[in-house]
Amino acid sequence: MFARTVTRLPKPIQGLRRASYSTSTEAIGFIGLGQMGFHMAKHLQAKSTLPFVVYDADPSAIARFTTETNARAATSPGDLASQTSVIITALPESSHVQAVYTGSTGILSGLRKDTLCIDSSTIDPSVSIDVSQRVNSAGGRAVDAPISGGIMGAQAATLTFMVGCETEHDFGRTKEHLEKMGKNVVRCGGLGAGQAAKICNNLLLAISMIGTAEAMNLGVRLGLDPAVLASIVNTSSGRCWASDTANPVPGVIESAPSTNKYRGGFKTRLMLKDLGLASNAAKDTKTPLVLGALAENIYRLMAHNPELAEQDFSSVYKWLTNSHKD
């Protein structure tokens, strides 16, 4: 549903320290210093020996990163591409990926031959394949490598990368860099396969989070201590990531977004976006989504609330408790 959307790139950023590497120099570029990307880039930069170049549409994100590290700033995606041999992108939506790669000052405008382009965004598989083919046609090597593990995984470098690429050689080159940001790097198949695996994973994640929230809410209303109930679930057959790592009840797990007022996690509006991608894929493949459709409707209702839309998707627990108090 994003294929026809066009996002314009901001004008090249002025006044930042510009990298000055020659076109023959190997260097790593990272585009997208958001909640996930910033932590990913920090780990990659710290564990790599190559020069490091960054770009983001938000100048303050670039300034923060270059202040905290010895990385240099590019003025545009194309400028970054002209100086690097490996590029990682971590962007919110399909339209952003299209603009960053194919815009007038996008990556393709400065792409060097055989540059490895790894896109870790979660986007429509058809858009991912189209952008990857454009990269390959321009002389680069495209890889889709969406991630799972959330902000906590990005901070701890324990992410899982689901990789789609054309050759084992591409996968080998990719794995060398992704292992610096995560603990699991899995090749899922050809171009677009990583995106396919990611939307299936997030479909299940959304459903399991709603189920966990419902069970915890019922237990609390039956008089159970939520911490006790969680400990039982997490040593029984109901255990899942939503219960043992990101439990939606505040105070049950100290590191969970719910304990931090549902801040710092995977936003509800982004989960709704991913469920939309799964819904589109299901329509294209004539695959029934019964629970998936219900989950999408629930997160759509939540996203209508400006506060919940920007909170971690585990705030479905808060939505349930506030919406059904009677």
Side-chain angles (χ1 to χ4, degrees):
M1 65 180 179
F2 298 103
R4 296 185 180 87
T5 305
V6 176
T7 298
R8 293 181 179 178
L9 284 170
K11 294 180 179 180
I13 297 173
Q14 305 297 324
L16 293 170
R17 289 183 299 161
R18 184 188 184 279
S20 57
Y21 310 115
S22 72
T23 57
S24 62
T25 301
E26 288 192 6
I28 298 173
F30 201 106
I31 299 176
L33 301 173
Q35 291 190 87
M36 294 286 291
F38 193 93
H39 298 295
M40 292 166 61
K42 283 288 289 288
H43 283 294
L44 183 58
Q45 190 273 336
K47 299 172 186 177
S48 300
T49 58
L50 295 176
F52 208 83
V53 191
V54 296
Y55 176 79
D56 192 275
D58 180 4
S60 66
I62 301 177
R64 178 188 168 198
F65 194 91
T66 54
T67 297
E68 295 181 11
T69 70
N70 63 356
R72 303 294 295 271
T75 59
S76 70
D79 176 43
L80 180 144
S82 70
Q83 305 161 45
T84 54
S85 53
V86 178
I87 301 171
I88 297 93
T89 49
L91 304 163
E93 299 184 14
S94 296
S95 58
H96 302 113
V97 173
Q98 289 173 313
V100 163
Y101 276 88
T102 67
S104 59
T105 58
I107 288 170
L108 294 183
S109 69
L111 189 68
R112 292 156 49 179
K113 182 175 174 56
D114 292 326
T115 294
L116 182 65
C117 296
I118 306 169
D119 181 36
S120 288
S121 316
T122 298
I123 61 173
D124 190 310
S126 64
V127 173
S128 177
I129 292 172
D130 177 67
V131 171
S132 292
Q133 290 175 340
R134 289 170 181 254
V135 169
N136 289 348
S137 296
R141 301 304 304 166
V143 173
D144 55 286
I147 50 185
S148 180
I151 292 177
M152 291 180 288
Q155 292 171 329
T158 57
L159 296 169
T160 291
F161 289 89
M162 292 153 271
V163 179
C165 56
E166 287 190 333
T167 69
E168 279 295 328
H169 179 67
D170 290 342
F171 179 64
R173 290 181 67 193
T174 299
K175 188 175 182 181
E176 173 189 352
H177 302 288
L178 299 188
E179 285 181 329
K180 294 178 173 65
M181 299 179 284
K183 66 177 183 179
N184 297 304
V185 182
V186 182
R187 187 181 181 195
C188 302
L191 294 176
Q195 295 294 346
K198 176 60 189 292
I199 62 175
C200 291
N201 177 81
N202 276 24
L203 170 66
L204 180 57
L205 176 60
I207 294 169
S208 64
M209 181 59 79
I210 293 170
T212 300
E214 280 194 341
M216 295 299 296
N217 187 41
L218 176 60
V220 169
R221 293 193 180 197
L222 289 171
L224 294 172
D225 182 319
V228 172
L229 177 56
S231 69
I232 293 170
V233 169
N234 293 333
T235 55
S236 303
S237 56
R239 180 181 182 178
C240 61
W241 186 87
S243 69
D244 71 4
T245 302
N247 195 286
V249 182
V252 170
I253 296 178
E254 187 65 28
S255 59
S258 59
T259 303
N260 189 33
K261 299 181 179 179
Y262 298 100
R263 295 181 302 213
F266 186 57
K267 293 180 180 180
T268 294
R269 61 178 175 82
L270 295 179
M271 177 55 82
L272 177 61
K273 181 263 293 185
D274 287 0
L275 288 170
L277 296 178
S279 178
N280 288 343
K283 291 174 184 175
D284 291 341
T285 57
K286 296 181 172 57
T287 303
L289 291 187
V290 180
L291 294 179
L294 289 173
E296 185 179 12
N297 286 335
I298 288 171
Y299 280 107
R300 182 176 291 110
L301 288 171
M302 290 176 62
H304 287 322
N305 181 312
E307 181 182 18
L308 293 177
E310 296 302 315
Q311 291 181 341
D312 181 72
F313 75 107
S314 64
S315 60
V316 66
Y317 176 80
K318 183 167 71 171
W319 179 80
L320 283 169
T321 58
N322 290 342
S323 300
H324 303 84
K325 289 183 176 180
D326 296 333

